[in-house]
Amino acid sequence: MAIELNDGARIGAPVIRQQRLGEIANLAVVRTEQRDRLRRNLSRGEMETIPNGTDRQGQPKVKQEMVIHAVAMPGTTMEARLGEEGGVPRPGDRVRLILKAKGFGDWIEARRSHRKGKLNVGDVLTLETRWAQQYDQDGNPKGTKIEDQAAADAVPRNVTIGFYGPLSLKEGSESRWIEAAEQAYRDDEAAERQQRSIPLDDASDFADEFGDEEVPF
């Protein structure tokens, strides 16, 4: 039987979703990736970057997000979704956590106090969901923090709501999960080398789906 050549394109791992109070994600970090945030232009149907003012030289800036590629660890109760498919990841499953706006800021603060900014493969990221916040159509907070799931469930579907909580980093201590993260890192490195060796005519056909489809605040 013929073996189909793997062109190196990687299917994105499911994305961790903060959507219910009391949930937690325990993740062994594999690698990080900072990139431009994208949104779909509804009139043209194309993805585009999100403007974020200008720098000191007057050059336009775009909003950024941090993608944490990781391995799910025991204790994770948050769902992870890819397209229409999703569920709570099992220990050892590959997942992604996409941090933007406040989440990105929390990541920066956690890095500052973690090993003087140095991050190792297999370090543990813990994210909890403790409160929710409603927003108006302009993205401004509306009302007070919601700290009860029943109250969050009662928010009308046409009202934007985001779920939040503390993010922390600590040094990995269990060899099983450090080794799993290190193997995932090596696999990603090998896939990247293979992808570079086979030029693609249209890389966008193989791009991850990472446009803004959730609360951007």
Side-chain angles (χ1 to χ4, degrees), residues 157-202:
R157 290 195 174 186
N158 62 342
V159 175
T160 300
I161 183 171
F163 292 85
Y164 305 99
L167 182 155
S168 62
L169 282 169
K170 66 179 182 181
E171 186 172 356
S173 59
E174 297 184 54
S175 59
R176 174 185 177 185
W177 302 113
I178 294 173
E179 291 168 4
E182 290 177 342
Q183 183 57 56
Y185 180 86
R186 289 190 290 269
D187 291 344
D188 283 2
E189 290 284 286
E192 184 67 27
R193 288 193 297 271
Q194 187 175 18
Q195 190 172 30
R196 287 198 302 266
S197 70
I198 304 176
L200 301 177
D201 292 334
D202 187 359

Side-chain angles (χ1 to χ4, degrees), residues 57-77:
Q57 287 72 44
Q59 298 298 313
K61 298 191 301 181
V62 298
K63 292 187 176 182
Q64 299 289 295
E65 64 186 14
M66 180 64 68
V67 184
I68 313 299
H69 299 260
V71 172
M73 294 175 58
T76 296
T77 58

Side-chain angles (χ1 to χ4, degrees), residues 73 100 137:
M73 294 175 58
K100 55 190 74 177
Q137 293 181 342

Side-chain angles (χ1 to χ4, degrees), residues 2-216:
I3 300 174
E4 182 178 357
L5 184 146
N6 177 4
D7 63 11
R10 285 173 287 173
I11 298 174
V15 177
I16 291 288
R17 303 288 189 183
Q18 282 187 280
Q19 51 193 5
R20 293 188 64 83
L21 304 180
E23 293 183 333
I24 188 170
N26 278 323
L27 310 175
V29 176
V30 174
R31 60 187 175 90
T32 65
E33 174 189 0
Q34 183 172 334
R35 62 190 184 187
D36 296 343
R37 279 177 56 182
L38 299 182
R39 65 184 173 193
R40 187 172 298 281
N41 185 306
L42 298 179
S43 61
R44 296 199 305 269
E46 300 174 351
M47 303 301 290
E48 62 183 13
T49 56
I50 304 174
N52 190 30
T54 57
D55 60 21
R56 293 180 179 179
Q57 287 72 44
Q59 298 298 313
K61 298 191 301 181
V62 298
K63 292 187 176 182
Q64 299 289 295
E65 64 186 14
M66 180 64 68
V67 184
I68 313 299
H69 299 260
V71 172
M73 294 175 58
T76 296
T77 58
M78 288 184 193
E79 282 195 355
R81 301 192 65 84
L82 186 63
E84 299 300 318
E85 301 295 326
V88 176
R90 297 169 299 181
D93 285 351
R94 290 294 302 270
V95 295
R96 290 178 294 167
L97 175 64
I98 301 178
L99 301 171
K100 55 190 74 177
K102 183 182 183 304
F104 198 164
D106 291 344
W107 166 260
I108 292 172
E109 289 302 315
R111 283 290 304 270
R112 284 175 178 166
S113 59
H114 174 68
R115 206 188 289 113
K116 298 181 179 180
K118 183 180 178 182
L119 189 68
N120 289 342
V121 174
D123 281 350
V124 177
L125 183 157
T126 300
L127 179 66
E128 301 176 59
T129 304
R130 293 187 183 174
W131 70 86
Q133 177 67 58
Q134 297 180 71
Y135 294 91
D136 62 22
Q137 293 181 342
D138 297 320
N140 299 310
K142 176 182 177 181
T144 59
K145 283 184 179 180
I146 298 173
E147 299 179 290
D148 176 75
Q149 187 61 48
D153 292 340
V155 173
R157 290 195 174 186
N158 62 342
V159 175
T160 300
I161 183 171
F163 292 85
Y164 305 99
L167 182 155
S168 62
L169 282 169
K170 66 179 182 181
E171 186 172 356
S173 59
E174 297 184 54
S175 59
R176 174 185 177 185
W177 302 113
I178 294 173
E179 291 168 4
E182 290 177 342
Q183 183 57 56
Y185 180 86
R186 289 190 290 269
D187 291 344
D188 283 2
E189 290 284 286
E192 184 67 27
R193 288 193 297 271
Q194 187 175 18
Q195 190 172 30
R196 287 198 302 266
S197 70
I198 304 176
L200 301 177
D201 292 334
D202 187 359
S204 64
D205 290 342
F206 299 88
D208 286 346
E209 298 177 2
F210 60 91
D212 268 10
E213 56 182 42
E214 56 190 55
V215 178

